[in-house]
Amino acid sequence: KNEVEQSPQNLTAQEGEFITINCSYSVGISALHWLQQHPGGGIVSLFMLSSGKKKHGRLIATINIQEKHSSLHITASHPRDSAVYICAVIISGSRLTFGEGTQLTVNP
Amino acid sequence: DGGITQSPKYLFRKEGQNVTLSCEQNLNHDAMYWYRQDPGQGLRLIYYSQIVNDFQKGDIAEGYSVSREKKESFPLTVTSAQKNPTAFYLCASSPSGAPTEAFFGQGTRLTVV
């Protein structure tokens, strides 16, 4: 079993829909990253969270440390949001452990 | 602009040849990392370095080698001992040993034929 599990693996939405991607982890962590990977392959860090909630534009990330769970929300989704969204946690020291990613497709 | 540069973006090699992937950063970061990404799997750590002239094996280091002679550079060599080298390789850096911020390169897609 992976230490980091994401759901769903694939998600298709219509433009304008509210989207939620979930991340659960099984061990104690010091922080959690949400990353975005576009078809070209490059990865961009969206958020780093250790508690609570962060918002940037139409993106909102929340984390519940007690429940070992984080969610990434996208409001008013747009086709340009289509990408792979990856959850990564810092379990010990300097190493990131990654989820398998969620492939999001937003149709116009 | 500060960032991480990986080159080349696409690389083709014949089986049995060693190949070196370049990763350069101008962010003045201490720590650098190499990850491998395969379809349907999360990124897996190959090697990482927290300081110049020092590096540690990650989870899948067999068949790979690295060097860290300069702070800015962390090249990865895929050797002929790597059984299945065709993959997408990502380099990352962070300001210190704890990746409170993570910066990634654009990746190199290696195909061995």
Side-chain angles (χ1 to χ4, degrees), chain A residues 9 31 33 35 37 39-45 48 84 86 90 93-101, chain B residues 9 33 35 37 40-43 45 48 50 57-59 88 90 97-102 104-106:
Chain A
Q9 284 188 312
H33 287 267
L35 311 167
Q37 184 174 32
I43 289 180
V44 174
S45 179
M48 196 279 291
V84 176
I86 301 170
I90 304 169
S94 61
R95 296 175 54 163
L96 287 166
T97 300
F98 295 82
E100 294 183 6
Chain B
K9 191 169 175 64
Y33 311 82
Y35 297 96
Q37 186 178 38
Q41 294 191 41
L43 281 77
L45 182 65
Y48 64 106
Q50 297 184 352
K57 291 182 179 180
D59 300 318
F88 187 67
L90 275 156
T100 53
E101 297 177 86
F104 290 83
Q106 293 297 304

